[in-house]
């Protein structure tokens, strides 16, 4: 159930409603909208029935009591009355009219590679730096990430570039260590339905980037988000990263329709990962432009100073030398969807989407030809 308060409701009215809901055994989640307060009464079916019979309609300050129609409650757009969640990561906003450019290596390989990538993406105006210290690999024989040392290098990259860090946690036993460095905790596609991990991240209160499972429906993605939200953590960013279909011509099928449809269902920000969907560098820019055009709140992409030597996911990594031109093109596409690049310096390059010289970029300074991907 959800209780919509009147615009004129006082703080005492709100507190009285919360107390009544809690006395009925349900949890009260208060959502402060721009105009009104909404209080979600979240409990099991039995508790829902007892909340419904509390007679809250007649209580001072209450406008109306409504049933939440979706199986996910806190994630639903109905719960916020159509208001969009904007998440603040160290002053950098994600959601609303803000467009987040999240970029960095697939995995932290070395100090030099991490710091160089950090500088490249910072100079191009990125919002956040991504990088994995714990890597979910299909093969147990493949490189599994640098672990704690990788986290330490990410902390160093943050100290040098000022970019907040997005990094993945796979195992609950590493969570405390990851939380020492991660400004946003990534939950990988393969862990989307690891419910104890989701609940623990919910309890941590840290912003979470929740990637859609390889074969998960949007309802399942939103139910996974609900596990985090239910623990009192409102900072969830959804991520479409490609799903499995019958098509074999490319690695995954990037489901861009998920963006407008998720926006119809949920107030949470949605970013798109074209790198893991495509598995191919040449598709990353066109898919990023499409993601921006379809209304995504950002993209998360892989970048490497020298992808040919990357330890993992080299074929999909944007070349460091091309990144400034890429960032400028994506910023333009986001502007068409009335979104502004969030945080950092605006991309220094004014490179047109058709190519050209990204003046002031590392590529131009080094005399390398800025090839658009
Ligand atoms: C990643 O972002 O590094 C990653 C492994 O992505 P996914 O979980 O979407 O495969
Ligand atoms: Mn990767």
């Amino acid at each position: 159930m959800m209780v919509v308060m009147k615009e004129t409701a006082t703080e005492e009215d709100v507190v009285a409603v919360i107390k009544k809901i809690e006395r009925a055994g349900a949890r009260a989640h208060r959502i402060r909208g721009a105009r009104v307060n909404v209080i979600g009464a979240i409990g099991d079916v039995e508790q829902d029935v007892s909340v419904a019979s509390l007679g809250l309609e007649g209580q001072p300050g209450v406008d109306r009591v409504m049933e939440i129609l979706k199986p996910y409650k806190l994630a639903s757009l109905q719960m916020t009355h159509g208001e969009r969640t904007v998440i603040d990561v160290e002053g950098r906003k994600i959601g609303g009219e803000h467009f987040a450019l999240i970029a960095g290596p697939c995995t932290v390989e070395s100090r030099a590679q991490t710091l160089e990538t950090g500088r490249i993406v910072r100079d191009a105006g990125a919002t956040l730096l991504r990088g994995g210290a714990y890597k979910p690999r299909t093969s147990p024989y493949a490189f599994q990430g640098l672990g704690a040392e990788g986290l330490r290098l990410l902390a160093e990259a943050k100290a040098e570039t000022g970019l907040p860090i997005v990094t993945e946690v796979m195992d609950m036993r590493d969570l405390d260590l990851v939380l020492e460095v991660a400004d946003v905790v990534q939950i990988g596609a393969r862990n989307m339905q690891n419910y104890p991990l989701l609940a623990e991240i919910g309890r941590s209160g840290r912003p979470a980037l929740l990637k859609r499972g390889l074969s998960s429906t949007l309802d399942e993605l939103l139910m996974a988000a609900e596990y985090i939200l239910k623990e009192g953590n409102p900072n969830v960013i959804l991520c479409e990263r490609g799903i499995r279909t019958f098509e074999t011509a490319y690695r995954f099928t990037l489901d861009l329709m998920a963006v407008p449809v998720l926006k119809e269902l949920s107030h949470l920000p949605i970013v798109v990962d074209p790198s893991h969907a495509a598995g191919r560098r040449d598709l990353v820019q066109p898919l990023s432009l499409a993601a921006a055009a379809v209304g995504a709140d950002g993209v998360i992409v892989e970048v490497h100073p020298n992808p040919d030597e990357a330890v993992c996911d080299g074929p999909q990594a944007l070349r460091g030398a091309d990144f400034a031109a890429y960032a400028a093109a994506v910023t333009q596409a986001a502007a068409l969807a009335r979104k502004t690049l969030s945080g950092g310096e605006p991309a220094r390059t004014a490179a047109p989407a058709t190519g050209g010289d990204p003046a002031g970029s590392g590529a131009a300074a080094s005399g390398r030809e800025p090839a658009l991907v």
Side-chain angles (χ1 to χ4, degrees), residues 106 130 135-136 168 186 188-190 211 241 273 276 302:
C106 174
R130 64 146 288 153
K135 295 302 303 176
E168 175 163 355
Q186 179 171 318
R190 289 152 192 84
K211 299 189 93 175
R241 50 78 71 210
D273 175 348
H276 289 91
E302 291 187 343

Side-chain angles (χ1 to χ4, degrees), residues 19-361:
K19 282 200 175 139
K20 255 196 166 176
I21 290 170
E22 287 174 347
R23 253 184 268 129
R27 278 199 201 193
H29 287 259
R30 178 178 182 167
I31 295 166
R32 294 167 203 265
R35 283 188 308 108
V36 295
N37 276 281
V38 176
I39 302 157
I42 309 296
D44 58 27
V45 177
E46 230 168 72
Q47 289 159 347
D48 262 7
V49 173
S50 51
V51 169
S53 59
L54 284 176
L56 287 168
E57 287 91 344
Q59 185 133 337
V62 172
D63 185 8
R64 58 197 184 281
V65 179
M66 296 160 71
E67 204 181 326
I68 306 167
L69 302 170
K70 299 288 183 189
Y72 40 87
K73 313 287 178 196
L74 299 168
S76 72
L77 187 61
Q78 189 192 358
M79 181 60 97
T80 59
H81 249 52
E83 270 184 46
R84 304 259 163 224
T85 286
V86 177
I87 296 173
D88 191 307
V89 182
E90 304 219 321
R92 290 153 189 263
K93 304 237 165 53
I94 302 177
E97 75 263 25
H98 309 277
F99 189 87
L101 176 55
I102 308 171
C106 174
T107 184
V108 173
E109 296 169 16
S110 68
R111 183 169 184 272
Q113 168 251 12
T114 307
L115 295 183
E116 190 180 349
T117 312
R119 282 182 217 116
I120 289 167
V121 304
R122 187 264 325 268
D123 289 350
T127 312
L128 306 173
L129 176 64
R130 64 146 288 153
Y134 298 94
K135 295 302 303 176
R137 305 303 301 277
T138 303
S139 166
Y141 305 110
F143 176 67
Q144 304 288 308
L146 291 182
E149 171 62 7
L151 291 175
R152 201 194 59 71
L153 293 172
L154 286 168
E156 199 179 334
K158 179 181 176 181
E160 188 183 317
T161 62
L163 290 176
I165 301 293
V166 183
T167 195
E168 175 163 355
V169 67
M170 291 202 300
D171 186 327
M172 208 135 69
R173 289 168 295 187
D174 302 319
L175 183 59
D176 286 344
L177 209 57
V178 170
L179 288 175
E180 284 178 23
V181 173
D183 298 291
V184 175
V185 185
Q186 179 171 318
I187 299 136
R190 289 152 192 84
N191 259 324
M192 188 202 86
Q193 289 180 309
N194 183 340
Y195 299 123
L197 183 65
L198 297 174
E200 203 58 43
I201 291 170
R203 285 190 278 274
S204 80
R206 195 64 49 87
L209 180 88
L210 177 63
K211 299 189 93 175
R212 181 181 182 184
L214 275 49
S215 303
S216 297
T217 63
L218 299 184
D219 266 17
E220 287 164 341
L221 172 62
L222 291 168
M223 291 306 276
E226 192 80 7
Y227 270 87
I228 303 172
L229 299 167
K230 180 172 173 282
E231 298 303 326
N233 181 352
N235 303 310
V236 179
I237 304 157
L238 305 171
C239 179
E240 160 58 34
R241 50 78 71 210
I243 51 172
R244 278 212 205 286
T245 67
F246 55 81
E247 185 53 72
T248 54
Y250 26 79
R251 206 209 254 166
F252 293 99
T253 299
L254 186 64
D255 180 14
L256 284 177
M257 239 189 314
V259 176
V261 173
L262 282 170
K263 286 199 170 278
E264 214 172 82
L265 301 174
S266 177
H267 55 90
L268 296 170
I270 300 139
V271 301
V272 170
D273 175 348
S275 303
H276 289 91
R280 277 169 46 180
R281 179 179 310 121
D282 62 328
L283 296 180
V284 171
Q285 179 163 324
L287 292 175
S288 300
L289 301 182
V294 84
D297 297 300
V299 288
I300 174 165
V301 293
E302 291 187 343
V303 188
H304 196 285
N306 184 3
D308 304 330
E309 284 173 13
V311 170
C312 103
D313 282 350
Q316 72 198 34
L318 293 171
R319 295 187 188 283
D322 299 337
F323 187 72
Y326 163 85
V330 174
T331 304
Q332 280 178 8
L336 290 176
R338 298 202 183 80
K339 285 181 186 283
T340 324
L341 189 65
S342 172
E345 295 292 305
R348 286 187 195 170
T349 64
T354 48
D357 176 27
S361 74

